């Protein structure tokens, strides 16, 4: 089965990118209204956390360029984020939820909990793959 809806964003890693991703997700939900509220909420949270991390941890004076590809089909929600930044040294198998009083460090732990797959690959930059299998109809 093919993709029901998709969006692609190509922009610098700055706060406007976070807003553009939120807007693109809202467009997807209008276009594919049968995505359950839980799937929308948890997938949106995970995507937002990873995009925000990419923006916040972008090194240097000039932000890297990021391509965000979002898609929805009958079985899954998928986001692929690719950037041209230096490869991030992240071990997802070592990510855990910080203590309740911690002021940061929850983003990737929340994303891992909300998704069926979170993968980070490096090469000429970073690629993040976020997948949530659809649980039910809206």
């Amino acid at each position: 089965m093919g993709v029901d809806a998709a969006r692609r964003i190509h922009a610098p890693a700055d706060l406007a990118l976070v807003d553009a991703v939120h807007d693109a997700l809202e467009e997807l939900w209008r276009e594919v209204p049968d995505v359950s509220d839980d799937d929308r909420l948890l997938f949106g949270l995970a995507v937002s956390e990873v995009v925000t991390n990419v923006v916040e941890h972008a090194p240097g004076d000039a932000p890297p360029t990021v391509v965000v590809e979002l898609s929805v089909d009958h079985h899954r929600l998928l986001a692929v984020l690719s950037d041209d930044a230096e490869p991030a040294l992240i071990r997802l198998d070592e990510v855990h939820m910080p203590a309740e009083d911690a002021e940061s460090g929850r983003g990737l732990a929340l994303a891992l909990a909300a998704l069926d797959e979170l993968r980070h690959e490096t090469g000429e930059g970073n690629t993040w793959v976020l997948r949530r299998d659809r649980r039910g109809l809206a």
Side-chain angles (χ1 to χ4, degrees):
M1 179 169 281
V3 171
D4 293 340
R7 294 291 181 278
R8 185 174 194 273
I9 302 158
H10 185 267
D14 58 23
L15 291 178
L17 173 65
V18 177
D19 290 337
V21 169
H22 283 257
D23 292 346
L25 285 169
E26 287 303 317
E27 290 172 11
L28 285 176
W29 306 149
R30 282 193 297 275
E31 195 168 327
V32 186
D34 69 341
V35 175
S36 73
D37 290 342
D38 284 348
D39 286 344
R40 290 176 190 211
L41 175 73
L42 293 171
F43 183 72
L45 171 68
V47 171
S48 178
E49 290 293 343
V50 173
V51 169
T52 300
N53 275 352
V54 168
V55 168
E56 287 179 350
H57 299 290
D61 295 330
T65 300
V66 182
V67 176
V68 180
E69 296 172 305
L70 303 166
S71 62
V72 177
D73 68 24
H74 185 68
H75 301 287
R76 67 184 185 171
L77 310 171
L78 184 66
V80 179
L81 290 73
S82 302
D83 67 42
D84 58 4
E86 290 295 317
L89 302 175
I90 294 172
R91 300 255 337 244
L92 291 175
D93 59 337
E94 294 179 357
V95 170
H96 62 279
M97 189 63 72
E100 283 185 33
D101 60 347
E103 294 184 21
S104 65
R106 287 185 180 78
L108 289 178
L110 287 170
L112 281 165
L115 298 169
D116 293 291
E117 176 185 17
L118 176 60
R119 191 170 71 239
H120 174 249
E121 302 167 352
T122 59
E124 305 247 341
N126 299 278
T127 299
W128 295 89
V129 177
L130 296 78
R131 178 182 52 83
R132 179 172 171 85
D133 297 333
R134 291 179 65 175
R135 305 298 199 268
L137 299 178

